[in-house]
């Protein structure tokens, strides 16, 4: 599994502890040092069945600074993927990517439900 995080984020820290407490193995990736590419984001978006807006860190300073709340509705999906890929701090985190799921943000109940999927079994 791929765990995309910003280590200073308290939600990411809680999610990491949750994974570790369950003995789940994962590859951690720092979202600021190695932001997802537009192609990765497009793939994750398709696999997640979430609206693209859910991939934006709407509470982040960068999101507010760029006034994206007003700009996103006029942007194409391609432009939104390029924008997300340009700065990892624009991306909602954490993201957990498995063989057959993509989870965006940490909601323990959702992650616990996903724990029943074959891609989330301990190794």
């Amino acid at each position: 599994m791929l765990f995309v995080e910003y280590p200073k984020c308290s939600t990411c820290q809680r999610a990491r502890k949750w994974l570790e407490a369950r003995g789940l193995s994962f590859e951690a990736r720092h979202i600021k040092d190695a932001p997802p590419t537009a192609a990765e984001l497009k793939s994750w978006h398709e696999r997640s069945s979430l609206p693209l807006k859910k991939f934006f860190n709407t509470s982040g300073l960068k999101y507010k600074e760029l006034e994206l709340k007003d700009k996103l509705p006029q942007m194409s999906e391609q432009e939104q993927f390029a924008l997300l890929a340009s700065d990892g701090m624009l991306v909602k985190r954490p993201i957990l990517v498995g063989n057959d799921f993509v989870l965006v943000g940490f909601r323990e109940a959702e992650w616990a439900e996903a724990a029943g999927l074959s891609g989330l079994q301990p190794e």
Side-chain angles (χ1 to χ4, degrees):
M1 284 187 302
L2 175 63
F3 177 62
V4 184
E5 65 174 334
Y6 181 59
K8 294 180 183 178
C9 164
S10 61
T11 303
C12 292
Q13 292 168 2
R14 281 195 340 267
R16 175 185 274 273
K17 286 178 185 171
W18 188 91
L19 290 168
E20 290 171 345
R22 283 149 186 83
L24 300 170
S25 69
F26 58 89
E27 172 192 340
R29 181 163 145 194
H30 193 301
I31 201 164
K32 192 169 181 179
D33 294 345
T37 66
E40 284 176 315
L41 289 159
K42 185 172 180 10
S43 170
W44 297 346
H45 172 247
E46 290 168 357
R47 292 173 52 205
S48 75
S49 67
L50 291 170
L52 184 52
K53 185 174 180 185
K54 294 285 186 186
F55 280 80
F56 280 88
N57 179 12
T58 58
S59 60
L61 296 175
K62 189 79 170 184
Y63 182 90
K64 292 173 183 173
E65 178 184 308
L66 294 174
E67 300 176 346
L68 292 178
K69 180 181 179 188
D70 300 323
K71 295 177 182 174
L72 283 182
Q74 286 77 38
M75 294 175 73
S76 70
E77 277 195 357
Q78 184 176 348
E79 290 170 321
Q80 291 180 49
F81 286 125
L83 182 61
L84 284 167
S86 74
D87 188 337
M89 298 309 282
L90 287 171
V91 182
K92 174 87 173 168
R93 55 193 183 264
I95 300 175
L96 188 64
V97 181
N99 293 331
D100 46 8
F101 63 89
V102 175
L103 302 174
V104 179
F106 180 60
R107 288 174 297 285
E108 191 170 331
E110 181 184 29
W111 285 38
E113 184 179 329
L117 298 173
S118 60
L120 261 181
Q121 296 303 316
E123 291 181 0

